[in-house]
Amino acid sequence: RARSSIKSQLAEIERMARSRQKLESELSIARDIQLAMLPPAPTLHADGHCLQAHALLEPAKAVGGDFYTFFVRDERVLWFVIGDVSDKGVPAALFMARAVTVLETQARRHGSPERILAAAANGLSEGNEACMFATVLCGRLDVASGRLQLASAGHEPPLLLHADGHSEQLELDNGPPLGVEPGARYALYTGVLPAGATLIGYTDGVTEAFDVDHRAYGRHRLGLVLSAGDGAATVCHKILRDVRGFAGNAPQSDDITILAIGRRRDVAG
């Protein structure tokens, strides 16, 4: 009986190992598909100015709920979105895919960020029995003039790195996250991204990264790690490197996404 029991248990362990290997393989494929959905960061030139964008995404699990995307119109206007879905893992990844699709669709129909968010809030509220939601920052930036428009659906406030190296948070009027309130309305922020400045968006996986003593990274550290002249790619990698150094051996608690857009005078042009 003992030999029979051991043999049966070994067979069950082997079956479970095969199932786990299959699941890990499927999650790895899902991760590749999800990351492939993210567009390459564009570079735009117009009237003696250049916009350079960059973004990084690191899921806390095999797949996650953070996302970003870019849309280019008329080679002069850059639309961008960064978002964070509630929860993590497979459910968040599925809602993330739906959110990106809805936002891209609405961006083609509407001409300002607050109208895009309002329409997306209606679309993502339909059939949302799981009550999932996403915080989103949506923006529009004109290459030549630097005219900036932003709207926020409960998202972290963006950071503006000036040409002289000092930084400030842009305080936006937040509306509700997408998916929880149909008919929601969002405020429009307008400003200018000066030549030499960089706009930085991020998810709470940055500010709520914890070290081994359960201390949070926080917003204050963001500006301290940046320097004058940092381009979009440098900004993203500096922040990610500093977050990793702060967290040390602590496990990653949430998906991390960083998006940066730098505006420069186009010397070559």
Side-chain angles (χ1 to χ4, degrees):
R1 285 196 300 270
R3 284 196 298 269
S4 176
S5 176
I6 292 171
K7 187 175 181 180
S8 176
Q9 291 177 30
L10 289 174
E12 179 65 14
I13 291 172
E14 185 179 355
R15 184 192 66 79
M16 292 175 65
R18 287 197 301 268
S19 296
R20 180 174 180 176
Q21 185 178 20
K22 180 181 179 183
L23 177 60
E24 290 176 348
S25 176
E26 290 175 348
L27 286 174
S28 177
I29 294 171
R31 179 190 179 97
D32 291 342
I33 292 173
Q34 185 180 33
L35 294 178
M37 292 176 62
L38 304 173
T43 299
L44 304 183
H45 301 267
D47 296 350
H49 289 84
C50 171
L51 280 185
Q52 291 181 320
H54 196 80
L56 297 174
L57 189 157
E58 284 204 353
K61 297 184 177 180
V63 291
D66 277 12
F67 60 91
Y68 65 84
T69 191
F70 300 99
F71 325 97
V72 177
R73 286 187 178 174
D74 303 327
E75 302 301 324
R76 299 175 59 92
V77 175
L78 176 66
W79 288 85
F80 56 93
V81 169
I82 182 171
D84 182 3
V85 176
S86 58
D87 204 357
K88 294 180 288 294
V90 175
L94 292 173
F95 194 83
M96 165 264 187
R98 184 183 176 199
V100 170
T101 301
V102 170
L103 285 163
E104 287 181 349
T105 300
Q106 299 306 328
R108 295 186 181 95
R109 296 177 178 174
H110 302 286
S112 58
E114 84 282 9
R115 294 178 63 190
I116 292 172
L117 291 185
N122 292 335
L124 289 172
S125 298
E126 297 176 1
N128 187 20
E129 286 78 10
C131 297
M132 300 192 73
F133 60 87
T135 67
V136 174
L137 176 69
C138 179
R140 178 188 187 276
L141 184 55
D142 184 273
V143 183
S145 66
R147 185 167 182 263
L148 174 67
Q149 295 180 319
L150 296 169
S152 177
H155 200 75
E156 296 285 323
L159 192 70
L160 181 61
L161 175 65
H162 291 274
D164 62 4
H166 88 275
S167 60
E168 63 173 315
Q169 287 186 351
L170 301 182
E171 298 300 333
L172 277 60
D173 291 331
N174 261 330
L178 304 185
V180 296
E181 188 177 327
R185 293 291 178 264
Y186 299 89
L188 180 66
Y189 168 93
T190 59
V192 174
L193 183 66
T198 301
L199 181 72
I200 305 157
Y202 54 92
T203 60
D204 60 10
V206 172
T207 53
E208 296 178 9
F210 294 96
D211 64 9
V212 292
D213 296 320
H214 304 289
R215 294 174 299 185
Y217 183 84
R219 294 179 184 173
H220 179 68
R221 292 179 62 97
L222 274 172
L224 300 180
V225 72
L226 304 175
S227 307
D230 286 346
T234 301
V235 164
C236 291
H237 289 286
K238 268 191 172 182
I239 293 175
L240 181 60
R241 187 163 55 247
D242 196 57
V243 170
R244 285 173 172 169
F246 173 83
N249 294 325
Q252 186 176 333
S253 58
D254 200 356
D255 304 329
I256 293 175
T257 302
I258 308 163
L259 178 150
I261 304 170
R263 182 169 177 262
R264 304 284 185 268
R265 297 195 183 279
D266 197 345
V267 178

